[in-house]
Amino acid sequence: MDKEEYDYVWLPDNGTGDKKTKGNVRTAAETDDFFCGLFYSVGHYDFTGVYAAGISACAAVFFYSVLSQKEYEYVLEGQTLTIDVILGKRYRKTVHVLELNTMEATAPNRHDAVARYRKDTGTIRLPKYDYTSYDKDTPFYTMIIMENRQKIKLLLDLSEEMLQALKKSYPDRVFLS
């Protein structure tokens, strides 16, 4: 193909096999070859990176929508406290099943009963599990309890009803203020 400028005009060859072209005009066959070559080169680029980016973006949106919306459900049945995590309002997972007879203390976060387990001023370090909503208006409580022969610290948003039930069953281990 020359570097001349072409007018995109289709001229029939009138069945003689003789292509009538004048000056800088392309025939239909030349025009077809030009566009086929153009689309062939565009269609054969490697778009793997574009596909990977698109799939990654979709996965990120999905996981963000699921993992960013966490709710916690506390179920008290007799002497067993079950803690479930609900992700994205669709997926439920039981994370702890605790026997409350092994509970050492349940108190507001800054109460003296759990002071030695605090991160900033405490002397005893325990594995911590945070199941709070981080809502400024909702007070959270610290529970020190045994699980699988190991003492753990739980941060919980307990309702007034749950606190009263715990206080009724374990008056010497639950501190409300």
Side-chain angles (χ1 to χ4, degrees):
M1 210 185 329
D2 350 348
K3 293 186 177 183
E4 296 179 5
E5 206 174 302
Y6 286 99
D7 295 326
Y8 298 106
V9 176
W10 178 73
L11 295 174
D13 64 349
N14 297 330
T16 62
D18 185 31
K19 296 181 182 171
K20 307 252 181 197
T21 58
K22 275 185 176 171
N24 294 336
V25 178
R26 285 191 177 177
T27 63
E30 290 173 332
T31 304
D32 288 346
D33 289 344
F34 172 76
F35 284 112
C36 286
L38 177 69
F39 289 116
Y40 177 80
S41 64
V42 169
H44 286 81
Y45 280 119
D46 185 15
F47 288 111
T48 306
V50 174
Y51 295 142
I55 290 170
S56 297
C58 291
V61 167
F62 172 76
F63 285 113
Y64 176 76
S65 68
V66 170
L67 297 178
S68 68
Q69 298 176 7
K70 288 184 182 179
E71 295 178 11
Y72 305 105
E73 183 178 80
Y74 314 117
V75 179
L76 179 61
E77 295 180 52
Q79 293 185 351
T80 304
L81 177 66
T82 304
I83 302 172
D84 290 345
V85 176
I86 304 165
L87 300 171
K89 298 182 181 183
R90 290 182 275 194
Y91 305 103
R92 176 184 296 265
K93 180 180 178 185
T94 300
V95 290
H96 293 284
V97 178
L98 304 165
E99 295 300 322
L100 292 176
N101 57 0
T102 63
M103 176 177 57
E104 183 178 310
T106 298
N109 188 41
R110 295 291 176 188
H111 195 274
D112 291 337
V114 293
R116 62 183 172 191
Y117 301 107
R118 276 196 294 241
K119 180 180 179 180
D120 52 357
T121 59
T123 57
I124 301 173
R125 300 283 181 244
L126 297 176
K128 177 180 84 169
Y129 300 95
D130 189 350
Y131 301 116
T132 60
S133 64
Y134 293 104
D135 184 13
K136 292 179 183 180
D137 298 332
T138 305
F140 66 94
Y141 293 83
T142 301
M143 178 183 282
I144 309 299
I145 193 166
M146 295 290 287
E147 180 183 45
N148 299 329
R149 293 181 277 191
Q150 180 183 13
K151 196 179 287 190
I152 61 171
K153 176 169 83 171
L154 300 169
L155 303 180
L156 308 168
D157 287 340
L158 298 174
S159 66
E160 191 63 36
E161 182 180 310
M162 178 74 75
L163 284 169
Q164 292 304 324
L166 288 172
K167 181 72 173 170
K168 185 176 179 183
S169 297
Y170 305 97
D172 57 331
R173 301 181 206 172
V174 178
F175 306 94
L176 299 180
S177 55

